[in-house]
C-alpha cells in the first residue's frame, strides 16, 4: 500500500518530532563564543520626562561591560523604528508618524518603554546592572483611555500629534448611507468595546546580535515571522547597515500570532551593542516583560448603526470607531483598524451603502498592532453583534435575517461598497451545514433541560467572510504599504533527486514543513521524506515577505507550484534529449518522464543526475543544474468564510459562562492537509474564545500601569474550559491562485468572538440584555444579571 502524501492527505506534521522531543532550534537555545547578555531598563511610568540618567552604578557592577542609552544612539545617528503601513486620512491627510526611538530620548511614553540596555558577562550581572541605573523622571499625567486622550486639554503623548490624533480615516459613501437611513423602517444601534489583548506566544521573544569585526558582517537571530523585513527595516532605516552586510535568521519560532511580525526595538539595540563591543549580545524576554514590550492587539471603541427596511433587509451601515495606537506606531499599527477592518464591514451581506470612519489615537500605553485576525475579528464582531441586535429589535430569527441578506452564491464575484471584490463564497451552504451539525432545531429542548438545572442556556451564530492571503502588492500599495507583498519559492533538486525547497514564508507553528512538502510531493510524485522545506534565513533564502495575514499557502503556494512547473519543464527537455524524442512528446507522471505511447522512460532521479553530470546533455541549448525560483504576486486577496455556532450555559449564581459546544463550518477552498487545517481551526477558535470569555489587558486609568501584566491576572483559555469542537469545511474555490486555496490560519479567531458573545447575549436576552462586552468574565456577567434583575424588579 502506498501512503498518500499529496494534496488532501492528512500527513502527520514532519516538524513535530523535533518539537515534541525537545530538539527544536530556538533563538534562546543559541550560544555563540564570547556571547554577552543584554537586559533592558524599562520605564516604570506611563508618561514622564527623562531628566537624567546615571549609569555609573551599573558600570560598577561586576560583569557589566557597557550601558547604552537613547542619547548614545541618537549621537550615533541611529534612526527611529519605522511604520511600514501608514494610511491616508480624510482629505488626504497623512498619518502622523512621530519618532519612535529604539531607546527613549527625553521622554517615556508607556510603562515598559526601553530606556537603556545593559550588556554584561552574565544575565545576573546584566539584571543587577539595570537595577543599578539611576533615572530621574519628571512624572507627567498620562493619557490612558482613548476617549480621555481625545478630549480637549488631555496630556499630549507626542508634540507633533496635537490632540493625540494619529489619523482620521474613512471608507465608503457617507451620503449614500445618510440616504439609506432616511428611508429605513428600523435602525439598530450598538455601542461596543473591543478589548485589548496580549498575544502570549508560548516562546517569548528573543534576539542575538553579532558583528564580525573582520568582515564587517552583522548576523541577527530573532524570533521573527518575517526575517527579510526585519533585515530591510533594521538595516536600512534604523542602523544603516548595507543589506549585503546583514543576515537575519529566524530558526524555530514557538508561535507568533502576529506579535512577532514587527521590527522591535530590542532587535536593533542588541545589534547596535554587538557592533560597539565586537561581541555577540543576547536578549531573551521574560514573560512579565512580554506584557510590557510585545505589541498588543485590538482595543477599539465603536458606535454602529444598521438601517433596515420593514422586512429586515439591510439598507445601510454606519460605523464610527476609535482605535488605540498606543504610545508609538508599531510596524503595521495604522493598517489594522483601517484597511483590515473597514474594508471587511460588508461581511457576507448585500448592504448597499456602508460608511466607516476610524480615528487612530495615541495613548500612554503599549503600542497596538496585529494580533491573529488583525482587524477582521473586530469587523466581524461588530457586524455580527449588530445583526443579532437588529433581529431581536425586529422580532426576526437570527437565521432568517442572515439568509435574507446573504450575498447569493451566484452573485460572485461580488463588489462590496467598501472597495474589496470577493471572488467566491457560499454562505447558505456553510450555514445549512452548521445548523445541521449543531442541531440548531434541538436547542429549545436543551435550553429547557439547562433551565431545570438552574442554568441559562444560549445559542450564538456568526456568519463571516474575511480577506487574507496578504496581498496583491498593487492594491496594498494603493492602501499605503511601503513595500511589496509577493512571495517566493526556490525548488533545488539535488543530483540524487532529493529536494530542498527554500520558502520566503516563515513557519512558526503552522505546519509548513509538511504542507509545502505535500504540494511538491503531489507535483513530482515523490514521498514527502525526500523533500525538505527551509525558511527563516536571509542568507539562504531568496527575498520573501514572511508569514502573517494567512498568506503562506495562498501566496507562497502558487510561487512553489510555479517553481515545480519550471523544474518539470526543464526535466522534460533533459529527458527528450536522453530519450531522443521531442520535448512535446514527454509526459511526466509519478516521478517518471516518458515518451508518450512508448515504454521509453527516465525517472526523476536519473534526470536530476543528468542535470548535474551533464555528459549526455543538450549543453548547447540548456544550462546544467536543476534549480528553479519563482516570485508570485496575487491579483486579489483570498476570501475564506464560514458559519460558526456555539452554545453556552451560564450559572446565574456566579456569572460563570461554560462553553458547551462549538461548531465551525469554514470555506477555505482546496484543503492541502485536513489534519493541519483542523489544528489551525482549533487553535484559532480557542484564541477567539479567549478574547470573548477570558482575556483582557487592563490599565489603571490614572497611572497607566498595566494591571494584567502576568498570567495571574491575564486569563488565558485552558483546555479544561473548552468543549470538543466540531470543525468541518464547505469549500468554494479561490478563482485566481491556481491551487483554489484560501487561507485558514485566522478564520477560527475571526468567527469565534462574535459567535460566543452572541450565545452569551442570547442566554441573557430574557433579562432585556442586548449586549455584553468582552471578556464575558464571571464578574461582568454576574453584574449584568443582577443589574437586569433589579431593573426588572423595579419596573
Ligand atoms: N492550509 C491547508 N489548506 C488550506 C489552507 C491552509 O492545508 N486551504 C495549511 C497551510 O498549508 C499551513 C496552515 O494550514 O500549513 C496555515 O496556512 P495559512 O492559512 O496559509 O496561514 P499561514 O501559514 O500564513 O499562517 C499565518 C496565520 C496567522 S496570520 C497567524 S496569526 C497564526 C496562524 O496562521 N499564527 C499561528 N496560525 C498559527 N498557528 C500556530 N501554531 N502558531 C502561530 O503563531
Amino acid at each position: 500500500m502506498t501512503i498518500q502524501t499529496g494534496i488532501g492527505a492528512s500527513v502527520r506534521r514532519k516538524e513535530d518530532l523535533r518539537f515534541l522531543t525537545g530538539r527544536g532550534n530556538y533563538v534562546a537555545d543559541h550560544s555563540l563564543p564570547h556571547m554577552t547578555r543584554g537586559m533592558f531598563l524599562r520605564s516604570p511610568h506611563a508618561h514622564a520626562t527623562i531628566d537624567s540618567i546615571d549609569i555609573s552604578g551599573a558600570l560598577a557592577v561586576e560583569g557589566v561591560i557597557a550601558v547604552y542609552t537613547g542619547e548614545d544612539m541618537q549621537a550615533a545617528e541611529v534612526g527611529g523604528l519605522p511604520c511600514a503601513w501608514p494610511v491616508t486620512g480624510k482629505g488626504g491627510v497623512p498619518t502622523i508618524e512621530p519618532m519612535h526611538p529604539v531607546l527613549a530620548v527625553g521622554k517615556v511614553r508607556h510603562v515598559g518603554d526601553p530606556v537603556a540596555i545593559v550588556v554584561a558577562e552574565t544575565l545576573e550581572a546584566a539584571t543587577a546592572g539595570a537595577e543599578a541605573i539611576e533615572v530621574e523622571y519628571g512624572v507627567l499625567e498620562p493619557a490612558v483611555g482613548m476617549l480621555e486622550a481625545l478630549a480637549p486639554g488631555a496630556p499630549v503623548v507626542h508634540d507633533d500629534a496635537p490632540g493625540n490624533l494619529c489619523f482620521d480615516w474613512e471608507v465608503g459613501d457617507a451620503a449614500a448611507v445618510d440616504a439609506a437611513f432616511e428611508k429605513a423602517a428600523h435602525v439598530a444601534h450598538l455601542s461596543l468595546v473591543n478589548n485589548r489583548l496580549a498575544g502570549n506566544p508560548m516562546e517569548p521573544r528573543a534576539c542575538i546580535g553579532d558583528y564580525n569585526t573582520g568582515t564587517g558582517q552583522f548576523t541577527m537571530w530573532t524570533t521573527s515571522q518575517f526575517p527579510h523585513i526585519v533585515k530591510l527595516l533594521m538595516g536600512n532605516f534604523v542602523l544603516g547597515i548595507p543589506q549585503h552586510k546583514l543576515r537575519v535568521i529566524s530558526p524555530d519560532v514557538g508561535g507568533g500570532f502576529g506579535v512577532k511580525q514587527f521590527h522591535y526595538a530590542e532587535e536593533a539595540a542588541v545589534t547596535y551593542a554587538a557592533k560597539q563591543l565586537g561581541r555577540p549580545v543576547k536578549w531573551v524576554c521574560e514573560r512579565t516583560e512580554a506584557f510590557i514590550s510585545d505589541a498588543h492587539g485590538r482595543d477599539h471603541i465603536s458606535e454602529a448603526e444598521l438601517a433596515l427596511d420593514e422586512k429586515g433587509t439591510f439598507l445601510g451601515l454606519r460605523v464610527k470607531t476609535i482605535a488605540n495606537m498606543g504610545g508609538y506606531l508599531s510596524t503595521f499599527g495604522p493598517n489594522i483598524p483601517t484597511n483590515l477592518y473597514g474594508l471587511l464591514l460588508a461581511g457576507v451581506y448585500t448592504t448597499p451603502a456602508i460608511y466607516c470612519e476610524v480615528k487612530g489615537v495615541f495613548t500612554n500605553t503599549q503600542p497596538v498592532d496585529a494580533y491573529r485576525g488583525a482587524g477582521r475579528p473586530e469587523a466581524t464582531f461588530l457586524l455580527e453583534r449588530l445583526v443579532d441586535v437588529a433581529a431581536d429589535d425586529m422580532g426576526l430569527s437570527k437565521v432568517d435575517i442572515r439568509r435574507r441578506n446573504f450575498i447569493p452564491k451566484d452573485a460572485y464575484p461580488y463588489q462590496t461598497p467598501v472597495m474589496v471584490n470577493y471572488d467566491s463564497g457560499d454562505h447558505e451552504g456553510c450555514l445549512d451545514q452548521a445548523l445541521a451539525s449543531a442541531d440548531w432545531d434541538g436547542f429549545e429542548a436543551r435550553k429547557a433541560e439547562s433551565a431545570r438545572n438552574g442554568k441559562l442556556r444560549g445559542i450564538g451564530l456568526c456568519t463571516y467572510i474575511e480577506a487574507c492571503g496578504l496581498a496583491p502588492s498593487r492594491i496594498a500599495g494603493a492602501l499605503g504599504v511601503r513595500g511589496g507583498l509577493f512571495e517566493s519559492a526556490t525548488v533545488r533538486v539535488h543530483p540524487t533527486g532529493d529536494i530542498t525547497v527554500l520558502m520566503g514564508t516563515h513557519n512558526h507553528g503552522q505546519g509548513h514543513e509538511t504542507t509545502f512538502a505535500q504540494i511538491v510531493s503531489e507535483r513530482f510524485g515523490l514521498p514527502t521524506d525526500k523533500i525538505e522545506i527551509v525558511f527563516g534565513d536571509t542568507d539562504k533564502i531568496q527575498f520573501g515577505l514572511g508569514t502573517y495575514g494567512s498568506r503562506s499557502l495562498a501566496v507562497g503556494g502558487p510561487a512553489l507550484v510555479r517553481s515545480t512547473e519550471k523544474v518539470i519543464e526543464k526535466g522534460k527537455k533533459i529527458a527528450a534529449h536522453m530519450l531522443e524524442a521531442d520535448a512535446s512528446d514527454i509526459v511526466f507522471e509519478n516521478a517518471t518522464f516518458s515518451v508518450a505511447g512508448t515504454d521509453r522512460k527516465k525517472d526523476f532521479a536519473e534526470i536530476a543526475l543528468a542535470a548535474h553530470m551533464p555528459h549526455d546533455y543538450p549543453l548547447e541549448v540548456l544550462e546544467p543544474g536543476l534549480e528553479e525560483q519563482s516570485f508570485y504576486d496575487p491579483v486579489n486577496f483570498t476570501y475564506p468564510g464560514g458559519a460558526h455556532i456555539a452554545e453556552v450555559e451560564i450559572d446565574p449564581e456566579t456569572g460563570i459562562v461554560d462553553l458547551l459546544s462549538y461548531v465551525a463550518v469554514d470555506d477555505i477552498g482546496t484543503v492541502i492537509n485536513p489534519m493541519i487545517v483542523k489544528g489551525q481551526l482549533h487553535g484559532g477558535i480557542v484564541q477567539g474564545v479567549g478574547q470573548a470569555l477570558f482575556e483582557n489587558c487592563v490599565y489603571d486609568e490614572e497611572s497607566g500601569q498595566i494591571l494584567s501584566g502576568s498570567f495571574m491576572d491575564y486569563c488565558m483559555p485552558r483546555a479544561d474550559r473548552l468543549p470538543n469542537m466540531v470543525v468541518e469545511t464547505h469549500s468554494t474555490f479561490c478563482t485566481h491562485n491556481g491551487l483554489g486555496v484560501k487561507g485558514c490560519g485566522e478564520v477560527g479567531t475571526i468567527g469565534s468572538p462574535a459567535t460566543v458573545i452572541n450565545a452569551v447575549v442570547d442566554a441573557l436576552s430574557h433579562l432585556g440584555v442586548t449586549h455584553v462586552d468582552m471578556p464575558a468574565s464571571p464578574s461582568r456577567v454576574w453584574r449584568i444579571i443582577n443589574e437586569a434583575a433589579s431593573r426588572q424588579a423595579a419596573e
Side-chain angles (χ1 to χ4, degrees):
M1 190 185 83
T2 53
I3 299 168
Q4 209 225 321
T5 57
I7 292 174
S10 283
V11 177
R12 281 195 184 186
R13 293 182 11 143
K14 290 173 65 162
E15 48 267 66
D16 280 352
L17 184 63
R18 72 174 186 278
F19 297 151
L20 295 175
T21 53
R23 286 176 289 176
N25 171 35
Y26 298 94
V27 173
D29 298 330
H30 275 264
S31 206
L32 299 172
H34 313 297
M35 193 168 78
T36 65
R37 297 299 299 251
M39 175 59 80
F40 289 89
L41 175 70
R42 297 182 183 278
S43 169
H45 304 294
H47 198 195
T49 53
I50 301 175
D51 297 338
S52 68
I53 304 182
D54 179 358
I55 62 168
S56 56
L59 292 173
V61 171
E62 195 182 336
V64 168
I65 302 163
V67 178
Y68 303 106
T69 65
E71 287 193 359
D72 295 327
M73 291 205 167
Q74 198 176 42
E77 296 188 353
V78 169
L81 298 168
C83 170
W85 202 326
V87 293
T88 302
K90 290 176 186 167
V93 177
T95 295
I96 294 176
E97 299 175 64
M99 173 71 170
H100 183 178
V102 173
L103 299 175
V105 180
K107 203 176 181 196
V108 287
R109 294 183 171 83
H110 63 88
V111 171
D113 205 353
V115 171
I117 177 171
V118 180
V119 183
E121 298 292 349
T122 62
L123 179 60
E124 292 69 24
T127 308
E131 281 168 11
I133 297 174
E134 296 280 342
V135 184
E136 269 183 49
Y137 292 103
V139 178
L140 302 169
E141 188 192 343
V144 182
M146 285 185 275
L147 295 177
E148 293 76 15
L150 286 175
V156 175
V157 181
H158 293 277
D159 291 342
D160 33 5
N164 296 317
L165 188 66
C166 173
F167 58 81
D168 187 358
W169 178 91
E170 64 182 346
V171 68
D173 184 341
V177 169
D178 289 347
F181 275 76
E182 267 167 34
K183 63 179 183 199
H186 179 73
V187 175
H189 299 266
L190 179 64
S191 305
L192 62 83
V193 174
N194 202 298
N195 45 331
R196 182 188 267 245
L197 303 171
N200 291 321
M202 197 184 290
E203 178 208 22
R205 289 188 299 118
C207 48
I208 306 171
D210 186 30
Y211 177 67
N212 184 322
T213 52
T215 62
Q217 181 77 28
F218 291 84
T219 306
M220 211 249 306
W221 284 260
T222 181
T223 51
S224 178
Q225 300 176 212
F226 58 4
H228 274 102
I229 305 297
V230 171
K231 171 173 156 149
L232 194 57
L233 296 179
M234 185 179 85
N236 208 35
F237 297 99
V238 186
L239 295 180
I241 303 171
Q243 289 292 287
H244 62 289
K245 289 290 188 190
L246 175 58
R247 175 181 185 184
V248 176
I249 302 172
S250 297
D252 286 332
V253 172
F257 309 115
V259 172
K260 294 175 180 165
Q261 68 166 77
F262 318 123
H263 170 38
Y264 280 100
E266 294 84 0
E267 295 169 326
V270 297
T271 309
Y272 169 85
K275 165 84 190 299
Q276 304 306 309
L277 300 170
R279 290 178 68 181
V281 180
K282 177 180 190 172
W283 169 74
V284 179
C285 190
E286 294 179 2
R287 184 58 72 184
T288 304
E289 191 180 15
F291 277 101
I292 55 167
S293 64
D294 290 358
H296 290 167
R298 320 273 197 263
D299 209 353
H300 287 191
I301 299 173
S302 296
E303 295 285 335
E305 296 173 291
L306 183 65
L308 303 98
D309 72 8
E310 63 290 341
K311 290 187 179 142
T313 307
F314 303 163
L315 304 175
L317 173 67
R318 189 186 284 135
V319 177
K320 293 187 179 175
T321 291
I322 302 172
N324 209 336
M325 291 291 106
Y328 302 97
L329 289 186
S330 171
T331 311
F332 296 120
N335 177 51
I336 309 304
T338 53
N339 298 319
L340 294 183
Y341 168 74
L343 271 52
L344 272 303
L345 284 171
V348 293
Y349 308 115
T350 53
T351 317
I354 298 174
Y355 175 75
C356 169
E357 70 170 36
V358 182
K359 288 182 171 34
V361 52
F362 289 114
T363 60
N364 291 114
T365 63
Q366 189 67 15
V368 183
D369 205 314
Y371 168 62
R372 198 170 191 172
R376 291 147 292 163
E378 295 91 304
T380 303
F381 185 71
L382 178 136
L383 191 58
E384 289 298 295
R385 280 270 48 250
L386 188 57
V387 169
D388 264 23
V389 169
D392 282 340
D393 284 357
M394 298 186 72
L396 297 170
S397 100
K398 310 276 168 57
V399 173
D400 292 346
I401 195 170
R402 287 178 167 82
R403 284 197 202 281
R404 168 174 292 282
N405 290 285
F406 275 158
I407 300 163
K409 190 178 175 187
D410 58 13
Y412 284 92
Y414 184 81
Q415 178 61 53
T416 70
V418 275
M419 289 165 77
V420 285
N421 188 291
Y422 303 150
D423 66 338
S424 62
D426 177 13
H427 314 301
E428 286 274 359
C430 288
L431 178 60
D432 288 342
Q433 193 172 323
L435 292 173
S437 294
D439 184 23
W440 180 271
D441 292 340
F443 172 71
E444 287 306 327
R446 296 190 292 278
K447 186 180 166 92
E449 177 62 26
S450 294
R452 278 193 286 280
N453 297 324
K455 302 284 174 65
L456 308 172
R457 195 173 184 118
I459 191 163
L461 165 66
C462 160
T463 49
Y464 78 92
I465 192 165
E466 63 125 335
C468 67
L470 298 184
S473 295
R474 208 173 282 161
I475 297 178
L479 295 175
V481 74
R482 292 172 171 151
L485 278 170
F486 55 84
E487 209 32 84
S488 65
T490 297
V491 174
R492 177 175 299 161
V493 183
H494 297 280
T496 51
D498 299 322
I499 292 164
T500 301
V501 175
L502 309 172
M503 291 299 300
T505 50
H506 190 275
N507 187 20
H508 38 274
Q510 296 88 346
H512 293 180
E513 288 172 53
T514 310
T515 47
F516 285 131
Q518 286 182 255
I519 293 175
V520 179
S521 164
E522 170 96 5
R523 310 297 289 187
F524 290 161
L526 295 170
T528 48
D529 58 10
K530 287 184 82 65
I531 303 154
E532 197 68 25
I533 308 295
V534 179
F535 55 89
D537 183 339
T538 61
D539 263 15
K540 284 187 190 165
I541 315 279
Q542 68 289 339
F543 193 87
L545 281 303
T547 286
Y548 41 89
S550 303
R551 68 190 303 274
S552 303
L553 177 60
V555 192
L560 176 56
V561 169
R562 281 187 185 189
S563 291
T564 60
E565 280 166 359
K566 290 179 189 172
V567 166
I568 293 169
E569 277 317 296
K570 187 166 180 183
K572 282 183 177 173
K573 289 181 188 158
I574 300 168
H577 174 86
M578 295 173 79
L579 297 169
E580 295 177 349
D582 196 273
S584 61
D585 291 331
I586 304 290
V587 286
F588 179 66
E589 230 174 51
N590 291 330
T592 307
F593 294 89
S594 54
V595 182
T598 75
D599 60 358
R600 281 153 51 214
K601 58 185 181 202
K602 293 281 175 192
D603 69 27
F604 191 81
E606 288 176 288
I607 295 299
L609 185 64
H612 291 86
M613 206 163 68
H615 300 170
D616 177 17
Y617 194 88
L619 281 168
E620 302 73 21
V621 290
L622 207 60
E623 292 173 10
L626 199 51
E627 173 166 326
E628 297 290 348
Q629 188 171 90
S630 303
F631 293 82
Y632 173 78
D633 205 320
V635 296
N636 199 348
F637 301 90
T638 70
Y639 297 98
H644 290 197
I645 295 174
E647 277 183 44
V648 299
E649 207 172 52
I650 299 175
D651 182 342
E653 300 295 320
T654 62
I656 292 175
V657 178
D658 266 332
L659 182 62
L660 299 182
S661 68
Y662 200 99
V663 171
V665 176
D666 292 292
D667 172 2
I668 55 160
T670 308
V671 174
I672 304 298
N673 183 321
M675 183 164 62
I676 284 179
V677 164
K678 217 170 209 181
Q680 285 294 306
L681 260 298
H682 283 173
I685 289 167
V686 170
Q687 283 184 297
V689 171
Q691 171 165 26
L693 296 182
F694 307 113
E695 299 179 47
N696 207 13
C697 280
V698 182
Y699 282 88
D700 181 80
E701 284 168 19
E702 281 180 17
S703 67
Q705 293 292 333
I706 186 161
L707 301 176
S708 51
S710 82
F711 285 151
M712 294 298 287
D713 306 296
Y714 188 93
C715 184
M716 295 290 282
R718 301 186 341 176
D720 63 352
R721 299 299 308 275
L722 296 158
N724 282 325
M725 290 172 251
V726 176
V727 171
E728 299 171 0
T729 52
H730 175 90
S731 289
T732 62
F733 300 97
C734 171
T735 56
H736 54 80
N737 61 26
L739 282 164
V741 293
K742 305 180 183 185
C744 82
E746 295 162 290
V747 293
T749 320
I750 291 166
S752 49
T755 309
V756 172
I757 295 298
N758 280 350
V760 170
V761 175
D762 183 56
L764 303 177
S765 58
H766 64 291
L767 297 168
V769 174
T770 54
H771 179 64
V772 175
D773 271 325
M774 299 185 289
S777 58
S779 60
R780 175 172 283 160
V781 173
W782 184 88
R783 207 173 46 243
I784 287 172
I785 291 172
N786 282 278
E787 282 169 4
S790 321
R791 211 172 37 243
Q792 283 189 341
E795 280 166 11

